[in-house]
Amino acid sequence: MKAKAFDIRLFRRILTYTQPYRNRFTGVVWFAILLSIFAALRPMFLQIIVDAFIKPGKLSGLQQYTLFMGIALILEGVFQYYFVLWANILGQDIIKDIRTQLFQHILSFRIKYFDGTPVGQLVTRTVADIEQIARIFSQGLFMIISDLLKMVVCMGIMFFMNWRLSLIVLLAMPFLIFITRVFQRKMQVAFEEVRTQIANLNTFVQERVTGMNIVQIFNRETPEFEKFKEINKKHNDAWIKTILYNSIFFPIADIISSLTLGVIVLYGGFQILQGNPFTTIGQMTAYTMFIGMLFNPLRQIADKFNEMQMGMIAANRVFDLLDITEEPQPSGTLEAPHFKGEINFDTVTFGYLQGEDILKKLSFNVQAGQTIAIVGATGAGKSTIINLLNRFYDIQEGSITIDSQNIHDFTIESLRKHIAVVLQDVFLFADTIYNNITLFNPKITLEDVVSAAKKIGIHDFIMSLPNQYSYDVKERGATLSAGQRQLIAFLRAYMSNPSILILDEATASVDSYSEELIQKATDALTENRTSIIIAHRLATIVKANCILVMDKGEIVERGTHQALLNIEKGYYKKLYETQFLNEKQ
């Protein structure tokens, strides 16, 4: 949805977030009113001082009115302080609530949504766009209200003071309003392009920094740099367009303001020289202030309206994300117990895309406490089984049960609580080893982690690191090797005390030393626990109670390691001879 120059429906939606802070909102409005009144009192006092005291040469009362003018100035400063302070605090409170709502909404999305959405785009929405929304209140809405009130009060006093001079000012207003309106429309289009280019730039940088090893391995620095320059130029061009519009508008606004002041001085001066009693020197002096207080806010309103437009465009993007109404993933009502671990897939059919089945009427059974291995070529559907068991996706046909209970009957949270997964590509947060293991669960103490690490045989490895369990692994575990990250993932899985353990290519790309530690950890983790191992390494599957051999979404062979080797021209035997025997050489 493209944002309008001023979308009243969108604006009302933004205002709903002020409801918890209605007292502060009301307070800001009152400070704006008082600010406009006391700002307009200063030129009025100046007119009185000039006409009543300076021109006739009276000293009596001059100090009193000068004091009144000073008090008005001080009060204006006080109200300005509280006005700006409360408006900014209100804006920050509102974006805190919107960001919390947005992140909670993002957490509810299914994995399928993240498969097709750039990470940089989500980061832009959650950080930059929401920060821009705050400016609606701190630099936009309330500033516009304050300026409009100031203009209304000033015009009222000006007409009361001298309606002839006020008409001259009023005749100039339509010209300024017209160019302001044109300026706002042009800026709205320009700002929309700016936000688009910011999102594109964030997405590009996020992806390239994350995949920098691929960029450097394949010597793609120069082509990627050229792409970056192109995207960066589009971003730069979008901003330059806004600068161009500003450079045109503000000089024109200043010229109109100066011409109006010139006409006032010429007309007023002529009237005074002609002895016209309707115009005084004090009024002329006051009008030089009034014109600035009238035209500058109008010019600033255009600038503040730009801030509002930027905020409205950002809000439009954020609300578009909040309005994504994926069909909620059906969640059961049963709290999953600590499973015995019997798993049954009964004629399961599933495809990520409509009409493209990955699993085709797949059926197999895992007895409680058994360890089964799943092997097969890339794309055979091995990892899909894990996704379905954890209900990251829901099947199209068939059923999946654990301990004879359909997994759809369990709440998703309780189901996943009892299933631990160790992936090939381990994700670690930029934090300590301890926090990456506990995932900030306050119920797990350091003593618990140390005890578990000793049981699965990786305590010595952790103690060999600087700061040991407090060692900072940096972003995505960059300071650890692939094997070391796997060991941390094994300990993390062990600490969750799962009923079912899934190892997805957990030893596919580790060194022999790490593999030995991982094998010991695997033995400890799989003991008396239902386990599913997806692997190519011989050491991880020869002990399995059963091996499922998959090809194109179907099980083509099943049995123990030795039984499968005895099948002449079998799929598994061929895989063993071409891959596993090479590992022994």
Side-chain angles (χ1 to χ4, degrees):
M1 180 179 68
K2 185 177 180 179
K4 302 175 185 177
F6 188 82
D7 190 334
I8 189 65
R9 181 195 59 82
L10 181 64
F11 184 64
R12 285 175 178 169
R13 183 172 180 180
I14 295 170
L15 286 182
T16 61
Y17 288 91
T18 67
Q19 290 301 314
Y21 312 102
R22 59 174 61 90
N23 291 337
R24 187 174 297 149
F25 183 92
T26 304
V28 173
V29 173
W30 272 108
F31 283 131
I33 294 172
L34 293 171
L35 180 60
S36 64
I37 293 174
F38 280 94
L41 285 178
R42 287 188 292 114
M44 188 174 68
F45 284 139
L46 181 61
Q47 181 261 324
I48 296 172
I49 289 172
V50 171
D51 286 340
F53 303 104
I54 295 179
K55 184 180 178 182
K58 294 181 180 179
L59 292 176
S60 176
L62 176 62
Q63 292 179 342
Q64 181 180 0
Y65 272 89
T66 303
L67 178 61
F68 289 160
M69 191 173 177
I71 293 173
L73 179 62
I74 293 172
L75 290 175
E76 181 186 352
V78 171
F79 294 135
Q80 177 78 22
Y81 166 77
Y82 282 106
F83 170 74
V84 173
L85 178 66
W86 282 28
N88 278 273
I89 291 176
L90 178 63
Q92 290 301 316
D93 284 338
I94 288 170
I95 65 168
K96 176 198 66 177
D97 294 345
I98 296 177
R99 184 179 285 121
T100 300
Q101 181 186 1
L102 180 63
F103 190 71
Q104 184 179 34
H105 189 61
I106 291 174
L107 288 175
S108 71
F109 289 159
R110 299 192 191 188
I111 295 297
K112 185 178 181 180
Y113 176 83
F114 300 101
D115 292 342
T117 304
V119 173
Q121 186 181 101
L122 293 176
V123 171
T124 300
R125 299 291 178 271
T126 310
V127 181
D129 282 341
I130 289 184
E131 285 295 336
Q132 190 62 46
I133 293 174
R135 298 179 72 82
I136 292 177
F137 299 94
S138 61
Q139 301 296 325
L141 174 64
F142 293 121
M143 292 297 181
I144 291 174
I145 291 175
S146 176
D147 288 341
L148 286 175
L149 287 172
K150 190 179 296 184
M151 290 171 63
V152 169
V153 173
C154 285
M155 283 300 298
I157 295 176
M158 288 167 67
F159 269 95
F160 174 78
M161 186 179 294
N162 190 319
W163 64 269
R164 293 176 178 82
L165 294 180
S166 300
L167 280 178
I168 297 174
V169 177
L170 200 61
L171 288 173
M173 296 291 286
F175 296 101
L176 188 56
I177 291 173
F178 173 74
I179 67 165
T180 299
R181 185 61 177 163
V182 172
F183 173 68
Q184 289 168 353
R185 288 175 176 171
K186 293 291 185 182
M187 289 298 286
Q188 189 272 334
V189 175
F191 283 148
E192 198 166 70
E193 178 63 18
V194 165
R195 301 311 300 174
T196 299
Q197 294 306 325
I198 288 175
N200 291 341
L201 188 63
N202 284 347
T203 298
F204 184 89
V205 172
Q206 168 83 24
E207 290 180 347
R208 270 56 184 185
V209 171
T210 302
M212 186 58 69
N213 59 333
I214 300 298
V215 172
Q216 295 184 354
I217 287 171
F218 289 94
N219 197 28
R220 297 293 299 171
E221 292 93 337
T222 300
E224 294 300 332
F225 178 64
E226 293 301 321
K227 288 182 183 178
F228 174 80
K229 287 201 298 184
E230 181 181 346
I231 294 173
N232 195 34
K233 186 178 185 305
K234 290 180 179 179
H235 176 264
N236 178 254
D237 290 344
W239 273 111
I240 286 178
K241 189 177 292 185
T242 68
I243 294 170
L244 176 63
Y245 291 146
N246 276 289
S247 64
I248 294 173
F249 169 75
F250 289 109
I252 293 176
D254 286 338
I255 290 172
I256 294 175
S257 176
S258 299
L259 286 175
T260 304
L261 179 59
V263 173
I264 288 288
V265 171
L266 183 64
Y267 175 79
F270 182 78
Q271 293 294 314
I272 293 174
L273 292 174
Q274 292 293 320
N276 191 321
F278 300 110
T279 303
T280 66
I281 295 176
Q283 290 173 352
M284 289 282 294
T285 307
Y287 266 70
T288 59
M289 291 185 66
F290 274 131
I291 288 175
M293 295 174 66
L294 199 64
F295 280 72
N296 286 340
L298 184 59
R299 194 185 76 164
Q300 290 171 7
I301 283 175
D303 196 31
K304 303 309 177 188
F305 200 86
N306 293 339
E307 294 289 350
M308 282 200 65
Q309 283 184 320
M310 286 286 279
M312 296 276 280
I313 291 169
N316 190 61
R317 294 174 181 273
V318 170
F319 290 150
D320 279 347
L321 188 56
L322 281 171
D323 290 339
I324 293 176
T325 53
E326 287 189 322
E327 184 179 345
Q329 190 170 13
S331 182
T333 57
L334 295 179
E335 285 293 317
H338 193 79
F339 298 122
K340 295 178 181 178
E342 181 184 353
I343 302 171
N344 186 65
F345 275 61
D346 185 14
T347 59
V348 171
T349 297
F350 171 78
Y352 295 102
L353 298 176
Q354 190 70 28
E356 298 182 17
D357 292 341
I358 301 298
L359 301 182
K360 305 166 184 176
K361 297 189 180 299
L362 183 73
S363 296
F364 67 89
N365 180 266
V366 185
Q367 295 297 317
Q370 276 191 337
T371 296
I372 70 163
I374 305 176
V375 298
T378 300
K382 306 184 298 295
S383 295
T384 300
I385 292 174
I386 298 172
N387 291 335
L388 297 181
L389 191 60
N390 278 282
R391 290 203 60 200
F392 293 133
Y393 303 87
D394 286 330
I395 60 178
Q396 277 96 40
E397 296 179 15
S399 66
I400 303 174
T401 63
I402 299 179
D403 295 346
S404 301
Q405 186 76 48
N406 195 306
I407 60 173
H408 284 74
D409 296 335
F410 299 118
T411 63
I412 293 177
E413 182 180 1
S414 65
L415 172 69
R416 293 174 183 168
K417 180 180 178 181
H418 296 291
I419 302 175
V421 181
V422 179
L423 300 172
Q424 176 184 358
D425 184 17
V426 176
F427 185 92
L428 297 180
F429 296 97
D431 212 306
T432 64
I433 286 180
Y434 171 72
N435 286 334
N436 271 287
I437 292 169
T438 64
L439 295 179
F440 307 96
N441 185 344
K443 296 180 181 179
I444 303 176
T445 66
L446 177 61
E447 290 73 20
D448 295 332
V449 174
V450 171
S451 176
K454 290 178 179 178
K455 287 180 181 178
I456 66 174
I458 67 171
H459 174 69
D460 292 340
F461 145 66
I462 296 176
M463 293 300 290
S464 69
L465 296 172
N467 299 323
Q468 296 146 9
Y469 287 87
S470 296
Y471 179 64
D472 190 343
V473 302
K474 305 302 180 183
E475 186 175 0
R476 300 180 67 89
T479 57
L480 299 177
S481 69
Q484 290 172 328
R485 291 195 295 270
Q486 288 287 359
L487 292 171
I488 300 302
F490 270 78
L491 183 53
R492 181 162 64 191
Y494 186 76
M495 291 305 303
S496 67
N497 189 28
S499 307
I500 298 168
L501 175 68
I502 299 173
L503 306 180
D504 186 1
E505 307 284 8
T507 60
S509 54
V510 298
D511 57 82
S512 56
Y513 173 73
S514 295
E515 183 181 1
E516 183 179 350
L517 290 178
I518 289 174
Q519 187 56 54
K520 291 180 180 178
T522 301
D523 293 340
L525 261 70
T526 57
E527 184 179 2
N528 300 321
R529 181 179 285 120
T530 301
S531 305
I532 299 176
I533 301 175
I534 297 175
H536 293 299
R537 294 290 185 97
L538 177 63
T540 59
I541 64 174
V542 293
K543 298 179 182 179
N545 299 106
C546 180
I547 299 173
L548 305 179
V549 184
M550 295 189 65
D551 183 40
K552 298 178 180 178
E554 298 177 312
I555 296 175
V556 294
E557 294 173 1
R558 69 180 77 199
T560 63
H561 170 68
Q562 193 58 49
L564 292 174
L565 288 180
N566 291 333
I567 300 175
E568 284 298 324
K569 298 181 180 181
Y571 188 106
Y572 181 81
K573 184 176 182 179
K574 181 180 178 181
L575 184 66
Y576 176 80
E577 290 173 348
T578 57
Q579 180 181 356
F580 294 162
L581 284 179
N582 287 336
E583 292 187 5
K584 286 188 173 183
Q585 295 176 356

